[in-house]
């Protein structure tokens, strides 16, 4: 089976595509909103916007919550870091800087994830993946020109 066909049949691929579509629209709406209201208000409203999603998920689980203290701690820390990162992104958009450049620069976060995954999780890193990160870094330089 070809790699392309394997990807099309993999559930992770479709979840990733939904993510790309939602986050693409999210970035555009973030810029539009940040032109109208301050970053802290955008972050607050962003958080309010996630509440219905959380409620639907809680209802789908019939109110059953997780019991892993470590998992809960990771989830809360994820929310804190996401909130701070979102606030920083809204602040960047609020400066009326170039949306393309801001979004591309912020989208380099996988570089940090890769470094952390290699050092903390001891995940393997192939040369082709290093090449991809190199091109991502070059892309941000090109976007800034």
């Amino acid at each position: 089976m070809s790699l392309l066909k394997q990807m099309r049949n993999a559930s992770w691929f479709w979840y990733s595509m939904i993510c790309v579509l939602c986050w693409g629209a999210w970035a555009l709406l973030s810029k539009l909103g940040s032109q109208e209201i301050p970053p802290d208000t955008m972050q607050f409203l962003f958080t309010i916007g996630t509440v219905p999603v959380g409620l639907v998920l809680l209802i789908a689980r019939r109110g059953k919550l997780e019991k892993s203290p470590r998992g809960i701690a990771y989830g809360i820390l994820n929310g804190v870091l996401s909130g701070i990162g979102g606030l920083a992104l809204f602040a960047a958009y609020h400066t009326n800087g170039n949306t393309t450049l801001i979004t591309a620069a912020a989208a380099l976060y996988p570089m940090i994830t890769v470094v952390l995954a290699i050092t903390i999780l001891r995940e393997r890193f192939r040369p082709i993946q290093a090449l991809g990160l190199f091109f991502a870094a070059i892309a941000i330089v090109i976007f800034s020109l």
Side-chain angles (χ1 to χ4, degrees), residues 81-130:
L81 293 173
S82 178
I84 294 168
L87 185 58
L89 184 63
F90 296 141
Y93 285 142
H94 192 69
T95 65
N96 289 322
N98 184 305
T99 305
T100 304
L101 182 57
I102 292 168
T103 305
L108 289 175
Y109 75 88
M111 290 181 161
I112 303 301
T113 306
V114 168
V115 170
L116 293 174
I118 292 168
T119 57
I120 295 172
L121 302 177
R122 305 286 185 230
E123 292 186 359
R124 293 182 186 171
F125 193 64
R126 297 184 309 197
I128 191 74
Q129 293 165 320

Side-chain angles (χ1 to χ4, degrees), residues 11-22:
S11 58
W12 68 262
F13 176 77
W14 295 108
Y15 289 134
S16 297
M17 292 303 99
I18 292 168
C19 177
V20 166
L21 292 173
C22 289

Side-chain angles (χ1 to χ4, degrees), residues 64-85:
K64 182 180 173 192
L65 299 175
E66 296 297 327
K67 292 180 175 52
S68 166
R70 181 182 282 178
I72 292 168
Y74 286 145
I76 291 171
L77 186 56
N78 181 292
V80 169
L81 293 173
S82 178
I84 294 168

